[in-house]
Amino acid sequence: MQLLASYLSGSWSQGSGARTTLVNPATEVPLAEVANGGHDLAAAFTYARSVGSRELATLTFAQRGTLLASLAKAIHGAREELIDLAVANGGNTRSDAKFDVDGGALTLSYYAELGAKLGSTNLLADGEPIQVGRTARMGGQHVWGRRRGVAVHINAFNFPGWGLCEKLACALLAGMPVIAKPATATALVAHRMVELFAPLLPAGALQSLIGPAGSLLDHVGPGDVIALTGGSSTARTLRTHGKIVEHSVRLNIEADSLNAAILAPDVDLTSETGALFLADVVRDMTQKTGQKCTAIRRVLVPAEREKDLYEALRERLGGIAVGDPSREDVRMGPLATAQQKADVVAGIARLAAATDSIFGGTGEVTPIGVPAGKGYFVGPVVRMASTPMSDAPFNEHEIFGPVVTVAPYSGDPVFAAEFVARGHGCLVSSAYSDERDWVASFVGAAAPWAGRLYLGSGKMAAQSPGPGTALPSLLHGGPGRAGGGEELGAERGLHLYMQRTALEGDASVLKSLLG
Ligand code: NAP
């Protein structure tokens, strides 16, 4: 069986000691192994800070952008192979796998173009020049400059391809070397991408630890940045880690999220806006088997449309074939790991005690095309809660699988915004309405609780990627439970990897510094 190596200090190293086995989650057939330790991580940090940082410092934004374009091209060249790996190791259908792999390439290409636009400057302006003296001669200017440490990227299991690329694109364009750590269970896609990327990048620009983190965080220091996508308990471990606290290491966290979808009272389910709402709910439940941080988990529907919604969901979800995702007729694969299945089953059991079943009971399913008793399958589940604002589990615990809870309301936009807030901070929430006044009231009250608000309507329906798609041009992150982090959002995505400095002096000198 293949033993996946890590790419550290400019060479591939297989590590040593006990091993973890990566499996196909549909069949439980072993695919590869990783060593749980035995890497010289101190040397990897030194290599990034000395060699990687120095190499990237010699390049302009435009040149770093060219590097990102070459990485996107490498993905395109190996697209079929990467998709096959995602199907085998991630439990992805082909469509799920494309979402991850193509999403990674698209994000790299987006930041490649941004690099070309930023050109050959070293500093980025933050706002306009300011007069701080008695006359215009004495000026002030905020600037962003490259940080000198290492960007440590720790990713979740659900997007091994996109997760690697979206963080890498921003850090490399900003000029920081990266040590990327994909989640162990689904590391095959990220491992192959690193094999493709490493020869295209300057020495030390990208290293990757494949396998458990071990002592990774013990080596961070001032100037470093850590970006974690993962669960809230891992986030807590990082927030309180001695080295991170001691050196005030910049920490960006993308964690759990109880994203809401709201149907406004003006929308009939048979309208274009209603169809968009239904398509988004069903897509978010079933795409990647609901294992998307941005997926809709809670739905609020006007009481008078509740029955129509249940009927429509039963009809659509009843047509979803669950099974081996390598089969063309399968629309939803398994959860990614045995642990994920155990967590989702426990989450549904908690939910079942406080809600009624609308579809799928507690997720029992007989998958097609897999040996009996094998695979980490859970079927789509819709539950109904009569009191939307209760302390019930659907407002407290993210179930990272194909599960939504629906609750009725009066149609009041401020109540809808309070329902969004009841998730205690989310990555994204969506509202579907063609009434501008309703939308304005909702947005004003809901915006503080969401990193992104998706406003579904008839006019944008034909072009909509749905709320579950994180776009490189818009912020990805959210307050509170969602971790408080921010990624992407065009040039904003670079700021995590740069230091903002206020300059004051002769206004003409300040102007010349920005080219
Ligand atoms: P996880 O268990 O928190 O793992 C995330 C990453 O952290 C993995 O690479 C994991 O490595 C690593 N890790 C675990 N313990 C660590 C430690 N002590 N020090 C350093 N690294 C450590 O989460 P997951 O199960 O992969 O992902 C599911 C969760 O991620 C869900 O709760 C979901 O909400 C969240 N998520 C959020 C977003 C977002 O953008 N906000 C996106 C996707 C997922 P190993 O795999 O080696 O254990």
Side-chain angles (χ1 to χ4, degrees):
M1 197 174 351
Q2 187 186 9
L3 176 61
L4 300 183
S6 291
Y7 185 64
L8 299 166
S9 301
S11 59
W12 291 93
S13 117
Q14 292 192 319
S16 58
R19 294 180 181 183
T20 301
T21 304
L22 281 57
V23 302
N24 179 324
T27 60
E28 300 178 38
V29 169
L31 299 173
E33 288 183 314
V34 296
N36 292 349
H39 302 291
D40 189 347
L41 297 174
F45 275 80
T46 304
Y47 187 64
R49 289 191 185 109
S50 51
V51 180
S53 185
R54 188 187 63 220
E55 291 284 326
L56 288 168
T58 64
L59 304 177
T60 63
F61 283 106
Q63 288 167 324
R64 291 184 217 130
T66 305
L67 291 177
L68 298 183
S70 73
L71 305 189
K73 200 168 158 203
I75 293 181
H76 289 307
R79 184 170 180 265
E80 289 304 316
E81 183 194 354
L82 290 164
I83 287 171
D84 288 347
L85 287 174
V87 171
N89 186 206
N92 292 185
T93 61
R94 189 174 159 81
S95 163
D96 292 340
K98 286 196 277 188
F99 191 53
D100 185 33
V101 171
D102 294 345
L106 186 136
T107 306
L108 287 165
S109 298
Y110 179 91
Y111 277 96
E113 283 174 28
L114 180 62
K117 277 188 211 136
L118 294 175
S120 59
T121 179
N122 276 323
L123 296 172
L124 298 179
D126 176 50
E128 297 297 314
I130 307 159
Q131 180 177 325
V132 297
R134 213 171 6 90
T135 71
R137 183 167 293 175
M138 175 70 194
Q141 173 72 55
H142 291 95
V143 294
W144 292 103
R146 194 176 74 88
R147 283 170 78 94
R148 294 296 194 272
V150 184
V152 179
H153 292 165
I154 303 175
N155 274 314
F157 69 85
N158 57 339
F159 282 101
W162 177 80
L164 172 75
C165 296
E166 58 103 14
K167 287 183 170 65
L168 188 63
C170 291
L172 287 187
L173 188 57
M176 273 192 102
V178 169
I179 298 178
K181 193 207 111 42
T184 302
T186 58
L188 272 169
V189 171
H191 173 266
R192 181 67 188 121
M193 282 188 178
V194 173
E195 281 184 337
L196 295 166
F197 293 172
L200 304 173
L201 292 170
L206 171 63
Q207 303 180 71
S208 184
L209 173 63
I210 308 286
S215 65
L216 183 70
L217 300 175
D218 296 342
H219 304 284
V220 296
D224 293 345
V225 175
I226 301 172
L228 165 76
T229 297
S232 51
S233 68
T234 309
R236 228 182 334 267
T237 304
L238 265 60
R239 284 189 209 284
T240 53
H241 189 280
K243 288 284 178 193
I244 296 175
V245 173
E246 181 187 345
H247 297 296
S248 304
V249 175
R250 193 177 279 183
L251 183 58
N252 193 78
I253 290 177
E254 305 285 340
D256 308 348
S257 189
L258 289 167
N259 313 302
I262 321 283
L263 189 68
D266 63 290
V267 180
D268 192 291
L269 285 175
T270 57
S271 69
E272 209 172 348
T273 310
L276 177 68
F277 163 76
L278 276 172
D280 287 348
V281 172
V282 171
R283 186 201 298 110
D284 272 10
M285 287 185 70
T286 54
Q287 188 174 47
K288 292 212 137 236
T289 319
Q291 299 165 111
K292 277 188 324 195
C293 51
T294 50
I296 295 165
R297 307 289 181 201
R298 303 177 299 141
V299 174
L300 201 58
V301 60
E304 66 273 18
R305 304 229 195 276
E306 215 183 340
K307 286 211 170 61
D308 292 350
L309 174 61
Y310 296 150
E311 209 174 295
L313 286 176
R314 284 191 189 108
E315 190 191 321
R316 287 176 189 225
L317 293 169
I320 303 282
V322 179
D324 180 347
S326 64
R327 287 171 59 124
E328 275 188 17
D329 56 344
V330 163
R331 289 267 312 280
M332 193 174 99
L335 296 163
T337 64
Q339 185 60 50
Q340 284 303 314
K341 178 173 177 183
D343 290 350
V344 167
V345 167
I348 297 173
R350 264 198 311 259
L351 200 57
T355 56
D356 296 325
S357 176
I358 296 297
F359 181 87
T362 52
E364 295 80 9
V365 68
T366 306
I368 56 175
V370 294
K374 290 290 182 193
Y376 313 133
F377 291 92
V378 170
V381 170
V382 181
R383 308 290 308 185
M384 190 272 280
S386 46
T387 48
M389 295 303 208
S390 69
D391 291 337
F394 70 94
N395 279 325
E396 297 292 344
H397 299 283
E398 180 193 55
I399 300 178
F400 211 58
V403 183
V404 297
T405 302
V406 182
Y409 80 123
S410 66
D412 175 11
V414 175
F415 183 89
E418 280 165 16
F419 182 67
V420 171
R422 187 63 191 77
H424 296 164
C426 64
L427 293 171
V428 57
S429 279
S430 46
Y432 299 78
S433 175
D434 294 299
E435 289 238 347
R436 289 188 182 199
D437 289 348
W438 191 97
V439 171
S441 302
F442 170 76
V443 169
W449 297 100
R452 179 161 55 90
L453 287 177
Y454 166 98
L455 306 172
S457 69
K459 289 219 168 119
M460 53 72 96
Q463 302 177 39
S464 166
T469 301
L471 299 169
S473 51
L474 294 177
L475 276 181
H476 175 61
R481 188 194 299 275
E486 282 187 355
E487 291 183 333
L488 302 174
E491 200 177 307
R492 294 171 190 84
L494 308 189
H495 296 165
L496 178 63
Y497 305 102
M498 305 184 89
Q499 179 62 41
R500 180 163 35 198
T501 305
L503 303 176
E504 55 183 318
D506 177 343
S508 64
V509 171
L510 300 187
K511 195 171 171 202
S512 69
L513 287 172
L514 287 170

